[in-house]
Amino acid sequence: QVQLVESGGGAVQSGGSLRLSCVASVDTYNSYCMGWFRQAPGKEREGVATIDRLRRTTYADAVKGRFTISRDNAKNTLYLQMDSLKPEDTAMYYCAAVPCGLYYRVTTTTDYSYWGQGTQVTVSS
């Protein structure tokens, strides 16, 4: 069983930055592909960014050029650096994990096995 704990959310003004973190309690963190998702009130959950075991990344069009996903396998931690935040980025942000092969290209439509409880991001105009 993998536990994921997100942190780093908060309230910022438009144009500001936040860095989200997600710590995984697992011995073989480098065997997992990871992703960030978000869900705004009244909307469906959407994929934000993913990173595979070779650190290849994907981003949703809405965040390209503003958000950066990264991972530190030594710390079992996933990050999401969010810059130039907009009010439409307001949502609960979740990290997710799935065990994957070394060359597997994870996407936001991959069936993730584990999910965190989320951290709230609120951007005011």
Side-chain angles (χ1 to χ4, degrees):
Q1 187 73 11
V2 177
Q3 288 189 324
L4 303 173
V5 179
E6 302 97 334
S7 62
V12 296
Q13 290 190 330
S14 182
S17 297
L18 285 173
R19 188 176 81 154
L20 305 184
S21 299
C22 170
V23 178
S25 61
V26 63
D27 292 336
T28 56
Y29 179 71
N30 60 1
S31 296
Y32 286 78
C33 292
M34 306 294 296
W36 284 103
F37 294 78
R38 66 186 182 186
Q39 187 167 20
K43 295 187 176 181
E44 292 189 355
R45 186 176 64 198
E46 63 175 351
V48 175
T50 68
I51 187 166
D52 64 22
R53 292 177 60 182
L54 296 179
R55 291 184 165 81
R56 294 172 299 192
T57 59
T58 70
Y59 295 93
D61 288 344
V63 306
K64 279 180 182 176
R66 299 189 298 121
F67 290 11
T68 303
I69 187 172
S70 61
R71 63 190 297 167
D72 185 337
N73 289 342
K75 296 181 178 180
N76 282 17
T77 302
L78 178 72
Y79 300 102
L80 186 67
Q81 177 67 43
M82 303 187 296
D83 299 319
S84 302
L85 281 162
K86 305 175 181 180
E88 50 263 45
D89 294 319
T90 295
M92 185 72 80
Y93 283 72
Y94 301 89
C95 68
V98 59
C100 63
L102 180 61
Y103 299 103
Y104 180 75
R105 289 184 176 269
V106 69
T107 70
T108 55
T109 60
T110 297
D111 185 15
Y112 288 80
S113 304
Y114 305 100
W115 294 82
Q117 294 299 306
T119 185
Q120 178 67 38
V121 172
T122 303
V123 185
S124 58
S125 57

